[in-house]
Amino acid sequence: MKLSNRIQRVEGSKTARFIPLIEGLKRQDRPVISLAIGEPTVDTPAPIIDATKRALDRQETRYVDMAGLMGLRTALADRFDGCGPENIVVFNGSKQALYAIFQTICDPGDQVIIPVPCWVSYAEQVRLAGAEPVLVPTKDHQLDPDAMAAAVTEKTKAILINSPNNPTGAVYPRGDLEAIARLAVQNDLFVIADEAYDFFVYDNLPFFSLYDPAPLRDRLILTRSFSKHYAMTGFRVGYAVAPTAVAAAMVRLQSHLTGNVCTFAQHGAMAALEMDEDLLIRRRADLQHKRDLAFDQLAGLFPCIRPQGAFYLFPDVSDHLRKGETSGDFAARILEKTAVAVVPGEDFGMDGHVRICFAAPDDRLLDAFERIREVL
Ligand code: GLU
């Protein structure tokens, strides 16, 4: 018996594979430092935990609206000008939201333009929808609007933009995003904005959301996540903001897929939206400090463009590659010799680099860089 051609063409998530790998190394008592998977290591804030427990105590354990709790969708809609609960769909993380988007808008043969390097799941999710990812290089990790325009064909269905970017930490300036908005309008394309890291912008830099250019709204599908912003990755709550007809279509898909997102987790998410932002702002300031600490540690090791957002460094390691070695071989060598896990750049469509997550305790970051320095 043979598996479907569709699933045979798809590779497992290159970042998610680190979770069992690291757990296995820890079981062997290796002193592993994982700077691989992208998640905050700080605790989920107490108001979120308390609200989730209270929801469990109230038996909020049943099926609810498949689009998401009305209270949660209303609170989210209030954050987007001109938006109502009918424009919000709650998903099991923005990862599932993105999957649903491609399933909802793509037909076989359609193309989706994605600037590279890019997060590991985009291309595979596009392929799972029968469509084709069109990977367009960036310039020093910033968008190249001319290259994006040149990539548009009759088959192009959407442009995907991820700012702040995973894996580079680049934050795209307003002018470039407005150029993408114009390109989408001129060519009648959807724009998919993955804004999972919208809260994590440093140096007081303004974050420009693709929700802001009003002419884009009837073709914009935006995703955000509770995972990173509120340190609740395991809750699996993210959402999409979409034109009413697109949102309704995604709910139809959701109704056959998972049904609603875990009911009590959604109550935790509602509490997240109500919590005092002071703690989160302090955590962001601490991440900026970690960005600086990690960036300084890189000096003399690898060239790196200073990230302005998210929580990743994406240094160029090509000077340290042995003959014929890829970034995957390099990351495997580092893991073997130092027990420090980083993600190879080739997994993000850009070899010669590695992704280092700096959302880790300071002493672990320093220890990790010390180990890498010794080996190199
Ligand atoms: N988005 C995070 C990362 O890039 C979480 C893992 C994943 O879902 O890929 O590491």
Side-chain angles (χ1 to χ4, degrees):
M1 279 187 302
K2 172 177 160 300
L3 299 181
S4 71
N5 292 332
R6 183 180 58 251
I7 202 66
Q8 289 191 68
R9 279 198 301 269
V10 168
E11 290 191 46
S13 165
K14 299 272 181 44
T15 44
R17 82 192 144 121
F18 278 94
I19 297 168
L21 181 70
I22 306 290
E23 282 170 1
L25 288 170
K26 283 184 181 157
R27 278 197 297 276
Q28 293 165 27
D29 286 334
R30 299 265 331 257
V32 185
I33 301 179
S34 175
L35 307 180
I37 192 82
E39 68 176 338
T41 49
V42 290
D43 286 349
T44 306
I48 300 171
I49 299 284
D50 292 344
T52 309
K53 286 182 184 166
R54 284 199 303 276
L56 276 166
D57 288 340
R58 289 196 310 273
Q59 295 284 325
E60 304 276 8
T61 54
R62 312 279 178 218
Y63 293 137
V64 289
D65 190 332
M66 308 225 163
L69 290 174
M70 182 53 90
L72 179 57
R73 285 189 291 133
T74 304
L76 288 169
D78 285 348
R79 296 179 168 220
F80 295 90
D81 177 42
C83 191
E86 67 281 5
N87 299 111
I88 308 283
V89 189
V90 181
F91 286 99
N92 293 283
S94 51
K95 182 184 279 197
Q96 196 205 8
L98 286 157
Y99 179 86
I101 291 168
F102 298 124
Q103 293 292 327
T104 301
I105 65 170
C106 290
D107 281 315
D110 285 348
Q111 295 177 339
V112 178
I113 294 177
I114 308 171
V116 276
C118 65
W119 180 52
V120 295
S121 289
Y122 298 143
E124 298 298 350
Q125 290 189 342
V126 168
R127 287 191 195 102
L128 279 165
E132 183 196 347
V134 177
L135 305 179
V136 176
T138 47
K139 272 189 188 159
D140 293 334
H141 302 338
Q142 287 293 331
L143 291 176
D144 181 349
D146 292 338
M148 303 278 282
V152 174
T153 71
E154 281 182 357
K155 293 180 178 171
T156 307
K157 193 63 179 272
I159 300 174
L160 188 152
I161 299 292
N162 170 218
S163 175
N165 183 266
N166 176 2
T168 65
V171 178
Y172 302 146
R174 178 181 188 135
D176 287 353
L177 290 171
E178 284 175 343
I180 298 299
R182 282 194 299 277
L183 184 66
V185 172
Q186 279 158 10
N187 292 281
D188 195 20
L189 307 175
F190 281 107
V191 174
I192 303 164
D194 175 357
E195 297 184 353
Y197 297 88
D198 67 311
F199 184 68
F200 300 101
V201 177
Y202 309 120
D203 309 321
N204 295 320
L205 199 75
F207 168 65
F208 184 74
S209 168
L210 271 165
Y211 195 78
D212 294 340
L216 205 57
R217 289 197 195 147
D218 60 351
R219 60 184 68 251
L220 176 74
I221 314 174
L222 179 145
T223 65
R224 287 194 189 166
S225 165
F226 286 83
S227 295
K228 275 73 179 187
H229 191 150
Y230 299 100
M232 43 194 294
T233 46
F235 278 64
R236 309 311 300 132
V237 189
Y239 58 97
V241 184
T244 309
V246 178
M250 289 197 291
V251 177
R252 288 205 298 279
L253 176 66
Q254 180 80 316
S255 75
H256 296 295
L257 207 55
T258 61
N260 63 269
V261 171
C262 172
T263 307
F264 47 87
Q266 291 193 64
H267 282 276
M270 270 198 282
L273 294 179
E274 282 163 16
M275 69 178 274
D276 186 352
E277 285 252 309
D278 279 1
L279 170 71
L280 306 169
I281 290 167
R282 281 200 305 278
R283 286 182 169 183
R284 178 172 58 196
D286 188 47
L287 277 170
Q288 179 172 319
H289 148 80
K290 288 179 190 307
R291 186 273 316 259
D292 293 339
L293 180 115
F295 189 76
D296 289 350
Q297 290 290 314
L298 277 186
L301 270 181
F302 319 112
C304 183
I305 297 171
R306 189 183 180 81
Q308 294 169 306
F311 29 69
Y312 307 110
L313 298 165
F314 196 62
D316 181 342
V317 299
S318 42
D319 284 349
H320 292 274
L321 297 183
R322 293 173 179 163
K323 200 168 177 334
E325 203 177 42
T326 65
S327 56
D329 301 327
F330 176 80
R333 175 155 62 93
I334 292 289
L335 183 62
E336 174 56 31
K337 289 201 183 314
T338 69
V340 175
V342 297
V343 187
E346 63 188 70
D347 294 352
F348 303 96
M350 189 180 248
D351 202 7
H353 292 68
V354 293
R355 189 189 78 174
I356 300 173
C357 174
F358 58 76
D362 289 9
D363 55 342
R364 305 211 21 108
L365 280 175
L366 291 171
D367 188 3
F369 283 107
E370 186 54 38
R371 292 188 202 181
I372 295 173
R373 203 174 296 113
E374 260 174 39
V375 158
L376 295 179

